[in-house]
Amino acid sequence: MTTTGYFTHRDCRKHEMGAGHPECPERLDAIDDRLLVSGVLDVLDRREADPAPIADIELAHGRMYIASIRGLTDGLREEINAGGPTHAQIDPDTSINVHTWDAALRSAGAAIAATDAVMAGDLANAFCAIRPPGHHACKDKAMGFCFFNNVAIAARYALERHGLKRVAIVDFDVHHGNGTENIVAGDQRILMVSFFQHPFYPEGGSLSNASNLVNMPVPAYTKGEQVRALIEQHWLPRLEAYKPEMVFISAGFDAHREDDMGQMGLTEADFAWITKRIKEVAQRYAQGRIVSCLEGGYDLSALARSVEAHIRVLADI
Ligand SMILES: [Zn+2]
């Protein structure tokens, strides 16, 4: 009997970007607590993630960029020893502490280990409770709380290391997955479908019109029922036609109506519905293979409830 995997690592808690930052370690605690109290954790196969090999991170990122993040960490450590600040700022929203490098390797490593286990048939599907998140991380740029693009790395890994021909990335975070788009646009082995509040962060960049992307920008205050209709109309026909052999999810829960980071009106029931539709596609074409990776979600209560709803569908409980 195969089950749903739950991949995480304690190093993912050690990365933090300063007091009061919304992308905080407590997000993982809230998820863990909720899954524990609800009994959901009892039916999951909980596993610790190994750090991702650099060669696998290079499937989605430039060698120099990866080295620059490591260099930043080494530099920060020296500065701290000399009495300097505890964080190195990358952009106004994004900074590293001395644990960020390890946490980022564990996050990508979780997505990779989950991919291996699901491909081996050892697990039916998997959820990665990881941070830092990944979908704003571009090939050569960290931004928006993201350093390495966990989902893009895992998708490329499934293609390159497991010999798959077609994989899908589904992104339901309230923000546009600009980093994933930057990495996968034009790569016809990957179909990316997403919706996101627009106009919104990240600003300035125009949306790519590459044929392997199904971008669904929606205005602020869009509710769940409207999103469901758009998914029926735009995502599902493309996914059905593409017949992915594996599905990766950029699972951000900041489109929840209680999450102040965005202004959309989704609920746990909507996230469950979306997960169910994705699972149906995976069951038809991909032997049910799904690897879902945590992206955003900043209202701790809404995040924890939404992740529980998402995992209940994945695990069929
Ligand atoms: Zn987000």
Side-chain angles (χ1 to χ4, degrees):
M1 197 182 99
T2 49
T3 179
T4 293
Y6 182 74
F7 289 77
T8 189
H9 193 276
R10 60 189 177 280
D11 283 357
C12 292
R13 280 199 88 274
K14 294 181 185 167
H15 158 66
E16 53 84 24
M17 295 187 282
H21 196 292
E23 206 291 277
C24 58
E26 289 77 11
R27 297 176 63 230
L28 295 184
D29 297 339
I31 292 170
D32 244 16
D33 287 355
R34 179 82 195 180
L35 296 178
L36 187 68
V37 167
S38 63
V40 170
L41 211 51
D42 294 339
V43 303
L44 303 179
D45 189 337
R46 186 186 170 114
R47 301 187 185 187
E48 295 281 291
D50 289 328
I54 300 299
D56 293 336
I57 294 177
E58 285 177 0
L59 294 169
H61 295 283
R63 190 166 290 181
M64 295 296 287
Y65 165 69
I66 299 167
S68 77
I69 299 294
R70 174 175 251 166
L72 217 52
T73 307
D74 293 341
L76 179 64
R77 202 168 276 127
E78 285 171 25
E79 278 193 45
I80 290 171
N81 287 340
T86 54
H87 292 78
Q89 207 72 27
I90 288 181
D91 71 24
D93 306 320
T94 310
S95 63
I96 67 161
N97 71 356
V98 288
H99 302 291
T100 302
W101 171 256
D102 291 333
L105 291 188
R106 296 283 181 181
S107 287
I112 287 169
T115 301
D116 281 338
V118 170
M119 280 304 298
D122 182 22
L123 296 171
N125 51 40
F127 179 77
C128 300
I130 50 178
R131 53 184 295 283
H135 78 151
H136 295 305
C138 300
K139 183 170 185 285
D140 296 305
K141 188 182 179 189
M143 62 181 280
F145 320 160
C146 300
F147 302 89
F148 298 142
N149 197 311
N150 308 311
V151 160
I153 290 166
R156 284 267 171 80
Y157 180 87
L159 295 166
E160 301 289 341
R161 310 281 196 254
H162 287 284
L164 296 185
K165 302 279 187 286
R166 293 178 313 282
V167 302
I169 293 175
V170 177
D171 187 329
F172 57 71
D173 191 278
V174 78
H175 302 98
H176 178 224
N178 64 302
T180 314
E181 177 170 300
N182 170 262
I183 293 163
V184 311
D187 184 345
Q188 300 299 333
R189 303 170 302 169
I190 301 174
L191 175 71
M192 180 183 179
V193 304
S194 69
F195 73 79
F196 45 89
Q197 185 177 324
H198 188 76
F200 198 38
Y201 180 90
E203 286 147 6
S206 60
L207 300 172
S208 164
N209 50 21
S211 63
N212 65 321
L213 307 174
V214 180
N215 277 328
M216 223 165 68
V218 293
Y221 308 112
T222 301
K223 290 198 167 64
E225 64 188 76
Q226 296 161 289
V227 169
R228 293 189 196 200
L230 288 166
I231 285 173
E232 300 265 22
Q233 213 180 327
H234 297 284
W235 283 11
L236 296 177
R238 283 297 296 277
L239 286 165
E240 291 285 340
Y242 190 73
K243 300 180 173 51
E245 296 168 296
M246 187 158 183
V247 180
F248 295 88
I249 303 178
S250 267
F253 299 93
D254 40 7
H256 196 286
R257 68 179 176 197
E258 293 166 32
D259 198 312
D260 293 337
M261 189 69 86
Q263 287 81 42
M264 283 183 64
L266 274 65
T267 63
E268 299 87 294
D270 295 311
F271 291 119
W273 183 91
I274 295 169
T275 309
K276 193 156 174 284
R277 293 279 93 79
I278 299 167
K279 194 175 174 185
E280 286 163 1
V281 170
Q283 281 170 331
R284 262 198 291 284
Y285 305 110
Q287 299 172 41
R289 294 189 286 237
I290 297 173
V291 169
S292 176
C293 295
L294 181 65
E295 300 282 1
Y298 303 98
D299 180 279
L300 298 183
S301 172
L303 168 66
R305 282 181 275 126
S306 300
V307 169
E308 183 196 340
H310 176 60
I311 290 180
R312 279 188 181 279
V313 176
L314 290 179
D316 222 358
I317 52 171

